[in-house]
Amino acid sequence: MTERREAIERAKAHFEELLVEQMDRVERMKAAEDWIDYSMIRPIVIGVVGGDGIGPYICAEAKRVLEHMLQAEVSAGKVEIRDVSGLTIEERARAMKAIPAGVLDELKRCHAILKGPLTTPKKGDPWPNLESANVAMRRELDLFANVRPVKVPSQGIDWIFFRENTEGAYILGSKGLNVTDEIAFDFTVTTTQGAERIVHLAFDHAKKNGVNRVTAVTKANVIKTSDGKFLEVARKVAKDYPEIDLDEWFIDIMAAKLVDPKRRTQFRVVVLPNLYGDIITDEAAEFQGGVGTAGSANIGKRYSMFEAIHGSAPRMVEEGRAQYADPSSMMRAAAMLLGHIGFVEKARRLEMALDLCGQYERKVVLTGRADGATGAKFADYVMETLQDPELEARWRSHQ
Ligand code: IPM
Ligand code: MG
């Protein structure tokens, strides 16, 4: 066989394997059970994964706030908060796995996970070039919806992004192929089931919240097949919601319009494939004060995971500044967690306290350095604010 023929045969075999995997995944999606009902579960188990870099620091502060808010429920055996260890980059590198098997079992014993940032190895790092543990967790727990709200009330910004979280450019991100030394191939996948469930969730959210437009973002004019399918599914799902308009945008112009103060306030609910969602949500969070201020929910029918949208900031640790890292993003994530498992009022109070402490009153200010407060001091401030019976009035005075 010629060299070229061999390369093609190898690529075909590789592609065949991927096809089988994806076809199996579609079957699993078709068979998926219904949404878990947290009101029927006792105890609801919250797992806390510290993560890498500043992760354990900011996570510990968010956990303190959670424990403070759930004291009664924990004592009554309705909720259990437990640490899940074994997911640091050192441990992943030792096991040579994105998520060591024992840890995955532990995670599956939880209902909701609060997770600090995890180092994602890339080519050239001192770590083995393992798959991202975030991506692996989203896939293994089938956390198909990455929900990322961004709000800047003073500028009329009230966005919520529904990023598809289990397919697109990510699902086979570590299963690309160097067909020859000269040709590198990656794959991107959209399935009908995968697109339907995320688009439905976005429309349901719009409906519940009285929003009459859902923006779908793709690059379907160029990425015709997979983005084309995402858009086609969005159009089909939109028909089930006659009171809600589908607003179609391409990712490039959407990224531009987010910077336009006149146009950007018109976006409310946005649904988009994985990679575009990754990029746009970092851009969006910047208006709110940066990725350090944004929380993110990863939701599936059975499991859920809540995290910050930023990375592990290893430089802060190297420079001995980890204790000054801003835990707001993890606390926003904790608020989303509370809301998701049914403590809607507690979630609202935590949101208000975070708005007050981080944006309106700022009596404790973090700078990321020794001239600012520590994350622990900020957490104390948040808990003190939560205890104030006038919390809501204090918050309202800023609206
Ligand atoms: C995010 C992060 C992750 C992603 C990385 C860490 C794999 O950027 O949650 O947005 O790309 O999804
Ligand atoms: Mg990202």
Side-chain angles (χ1 to χ4, degrees):
M1 245 198 296
T2 64
E3 241 172 76
R4 173 184 285 214
R5 201 61 242 164
E6 269 171 38
I8 291 174
E9 289 307 321
R10 227 181 9 253
K12 277 162 76 177
H14 181 83
F15 190 46
E16 183 171 344
E17 234 172 79
L18 301 184
L19 288 176
V20 171
E21 256 178 50
Q22 293 307 306
M23 286 174 173
D24 287 348
R25 192 171 65 84
V26 165
E27 291 311 315
R28 283 199 302 277
M29 280 191 279
K30 284 190 193 160
E33 13 162 359
D34 217 355
W35 290 89
I36 187 169
D37 178 358
Y38 292 102
S39 68
M40 304 294 287
I41 289 174
R42 201 184 160 101
I44 300 174
V45 179
I46 302 174
V48 180
V49 175
D52 296 309
I54 58 169
Y57 296 83
I58 56 176
C59 228
E61 300 311 327
K63 184 183 168 201
R64 274 175 65 214
V65 170
L66 264 186
E67 282 169 341
H68 171 81
M69 297 193 83
L70 292 170
Q71 251 163 30
E73 288 75 9
V74 169
S75 318
K78 288 188 190 153
V79 173
E80 183 190 325
I81 304 177
R82 64 164 78 139
D83 287 316
V84 177
S85 58
L87 211 53
T88 62
I89 183 66
E90 292 81 5
E91 286 158 314
R92 286 179 278 146
R94 211 173 302 129
M96 280 306 279
K97 285 206 76 149
I99 305 181
V103 181
L104 187 58
D105 291 343
E106 271 304 306
L107 293 172
K108 287 188 173 171
R109 279 184 212 114
C110 304
H111 299 100
I113 298 156
L114 184 68
K115 184 188 76 57
L118 297 170
T119 299
T120 302
K122 60 178 186 306
K123 222 180 192 151
D125 279 354
W127 309 109
N129 196 6
L130 296 171
E131 183 188 18
S132 148
N134 286 303
V135 174
M137 199 184 299
R138 292 167 183 165
R139 184 188 59 242
E140 294 298 328
L141 304 181
D142 202 23
L143 306 173
F144 67 85
N146 191 330
V147 186
R148 298 183 160 179
V150 169
K151 284 192 190 131
V152 189
S154 60
Q155 294 177 30
I157 292 176
D158 185 1
W159 299 324
I160 184 159
F161 297 89
F162 287 81
R163 164 188 176 189
E164 202 294 318
N165 214 19
T166 43
E167 44 189 53
Y170 273 61
I171 180 99
L172 298 173
S174 12
K175 298 205 170 160
L177 179 69
N178 287 302
V179 179
T180 65
D181 283 348
E182 285 106 16
I183 305 177
F185 248 81
D186 270 307
F187 302 91
T188 185
V189 185
T190 301
T191 65
T192 303
Q193 289 75 12
E196 268 174 12
R197 59 188 189 175
I198 188 74
V199 175
H200 262 297
L201 207 64
F203 271 87
D204 284 344
H205 178 90
K207 190 172 172 176
K208 253 189 244 156
N209 292 279
V211 177
N212 60 9
R213 186 183 326 131
V214 170
T215 302
V217 183
T218 65
K219 187 73 188 177
N221 50 343
V222 176
I223 314 297
K224 293 188 189 291
T225 310
S226 52
D227 276 11
K229 184 175 212 40
F230 194 90
L231 188 56
E232 179 191 301
V233 167
R235 287 179 184 162
K236 194 173 125 250
V237 170
K239 294 206 178 100
D240 295 342
Y241 303 81
E243 71 283 25
I244 302 173
D245 290 334
L246 176 70
D247 177 36
E248 299 176 9
W249 287 75
F250 293 130
I251 180 68
D252 49 352
I253 190 67
M254 169 84 181
K257 287 303 166 196
L258 280 191
V259 189
D260 177 344
K262 284 191 295 294
R263 295 300 294 277
R264 67 178 174 218
T265 54
Q266 293 162 21
F267 300 117
R268 291 292 304 281
V269 177
V270 182
V271 63
L272 60 191
N274 212 335
L275 180 58
Y276 308 142
D278 176 50
I279 297 166
I280 284 283
T281 54
D282 267 20
E283 184 192 357
E286 202 60 27
F287 296 105
Q288 179 183 271
V291 289
T293 60
S296 157
N298 296 265
I299 293 169
K301 292 190 170 167
R302 167 65 178 79
Y303 301 103
S304 57
M305 183 266 280
F306 302 81
E307 61 182 345
I309 82 168
H310 56 75
S312 57
R315 197 174 324 143
M316 286 193 82
V317 182
E318 280 156 30
E319 294 173 3
R321 299 187 281 119
Q323 69 274 33
Y324 300 108
D326 187 349
S328 304
S329 55
M330 285 311 304
M331 294 183 191
R332 293 270 173 203
M336 295 181 88
L337 184 154
L338 285 168
H340 185 69
I341 62 176
F343 299 108
V344 175
E345 182 51 27
K346 288 187 203 291
R348 208 175 65 88
R349 286 183 66 80
L350 181 51
E351 288 284 353
M352 287 191 292
L354 288 170
D355 288 349
L356 281 166
C357 296
Q359 291 185 18
Y360 305 148
E361 297 184 350
R362 293 168 47 90
K363 288 185 192 149
V364 171
V365 178
L366 292 138
T367 61
R369 304 182 173 274
D371 59 354
T374 59
K377 196 97 210 298
F378 183 78
D380 291 340
Y381 175 34
V382 170
M383 288 186 278
E384 222 175 85
T385 307
L386 281 168
Q387 269 160 15
D388 181 359
E390 298 304 315
L391 169 67
E392 174 130 24
R394 236 164 100 184
W395 183 81
R396 287 213 176 280
S397 73
H398 293 278
Q399 301 309 300

